Amino acid sequence: MKEHKSTASFQSEKNTVVTIGTFDGVHIGHQKIIKKLVKSAKKEDLESVILTFFPHPRMVLQKDDSIKLINTIDEKKQLLAAEGVDHLIVHPFTKEFSQMEAAEFVQEILLKQLKAKKIIIGYDHRFGKNRSADISDLKKFGEEFGFEVEEISKQEVEHIAVSSTKIRNALFEGKIKLANKYLSRPFMLSGTVVKGKGLGKDFGFPTANIEIAETYKLIPKIGVYVVRSVIEGVEVYGMMSIGFNPTVGGTEKTIEAHFFDFEKDIYGEFLQIEILKRIRDEINFGNTEDLKEAIQKDEVFSRAYIKKHYAG
């Protein structure tokens, strides 16, 4: 997959089939659209193109810093690359870009820059200044300028019954099983291992403290989870705590992962951690002995779960 930083930097010798969207999560609904895109491109000897945007339009138009996204932009690129698309364009979303009239967007972006011969798009897609144009307008432009529009029907979308919003809500509520089902893969966190207070080591459970640079990244509900990662090419399992460590007087939210049967120094490493199962809420135990006992029980549960579902 070739990556492009804007529509203006896009280059292709062939004409293209294009789909447009934010694709947050690259969930099963998105995957269905992308499979149509790739299949159509191969059938009609076109190049497949995904046009997405960053920052998220709500961050720009509504100055909404509260919105949290399922994927960082790098995670999204990784997931889309795995779908077999020829080209990914991550176009900068600005206020100026949002003021582009629908006709100009079609003529300048889709036709002139992207060489689109076909657009595959959802029935409720809106575009152009103030989101004034819809699928019927796009079809009219298609008739005028000679490109095909394939509509993803309401029935198809409702049959899948999934949306990025549903996944975000499931994650906020700690419903990892449901979120992972909608995603068709485990939800991931990506960050750098930084120095913590070393309290886990005192309990016999040294942890990797994960710092996530992207403030817009969605962090699931506070609690304890079963996790998996790949470190230096080796698959490792463990458990992870998201929370404030109230039993030891913590006041800042941390993400701390303990990997089983693993002793390497990984400070400074960049890790992707997949969340497999929620174990429990964070609890203020009042004393460290009860906390240590709870962590030991978490380990027993996690190892049994991993053995049954992954490593057995």
Side-chain angles (χ1 to χ4, degrees), residues 229-273:
S229 188
V230 175
I231 303 176
E232 296 177 1
V234 178
E235 189 173 62
V236 293
Y237 291 85
M239 53 193 187
M240 182 173 73
S241 168
I242 300 173
F244 293 89
N245 299 307
T247 306
V248 293
T251 55
E252 294 183 11
K253 186 191 279 189
T254 60
I255 302 170
E256 302 176 60
H258 169 74
F259 297 111
F260 302 141
D261 311 313
F262 183 84
E263 295 180 357
K264 289 185 179 179
D265 182 348
I266 53 173
Y267 287 120
E269 294 282 330
F270 185 81
L271 299 185
Q272 281 194 344
I273 298 177

Side-chain angles (χ1 to χ4, degrees), residues 150-273:
E150 182 177 337
E151 179 181 349
I152 309 293
S153 70
K154 186 177 182 180
Q155 289 76 18
E156 281 186 87
V157 173
E158 289 180 348
H159 175 70
I160 296 168
V162 63
S163 69
S164 298
T165 301
K166 281 186 180 181
I167 296 169
R168 290 186 201 116
N169 290 339
L171 291 166
F172 283 131
E173 294 166 10
K175 297 177 180 175
I176 289 295
K177 184 178 180 181
L178 181 62
N180 289 351
K181 176 185 174 184
Y182 286 154
L183 291 169
S184 79
R185 79 183 81 82
F187 173 75
M188 73 171 84
L189 295 174
S190 306
T192 304
V193 180
V194 297
K195 289 277 187 184
K197 293 180 179 179
L199 296 174
K201 197 172 185 180
D202 294 339
F203 297 143
F205 292 90
T207 59
N209 287 257
I210 311 300
E211 183 177 81
I212 297 173
E214 295 83 0
T215 56
Y216 62 85
K217 171 70 177 184
L218 189 158
I219 308 300
K221 185 180 179 181
I222 286 170
V224 182
Y225 298 86
V226 183
V227 298
R228 173 175 61 194
S229 188
V230 175
I231 303 176
E232 296 177 1
V234 178
E235 189 173 62
V236 293
Y237 291 85
M239 53 193 187
M240 182 173 73
S241 168
I242 300 173
F244 293 89
N245 299 307
T247 306
V248 293
T251 55
E252 294 183 11
K253 186 191 279 189
T254 60
I255 302 170
E256 302 176 60
H258 169 74
F259 297 111
F260 302 141
D261 311 313
F262 183 84
E263 295 180 357
K264 289 185 179 179
D265 182 348
I266 53 173
Y267 287 120
E269 294 282 330
F270 185 81
L271 299 185
Q272 281 194 344
I273 298 177

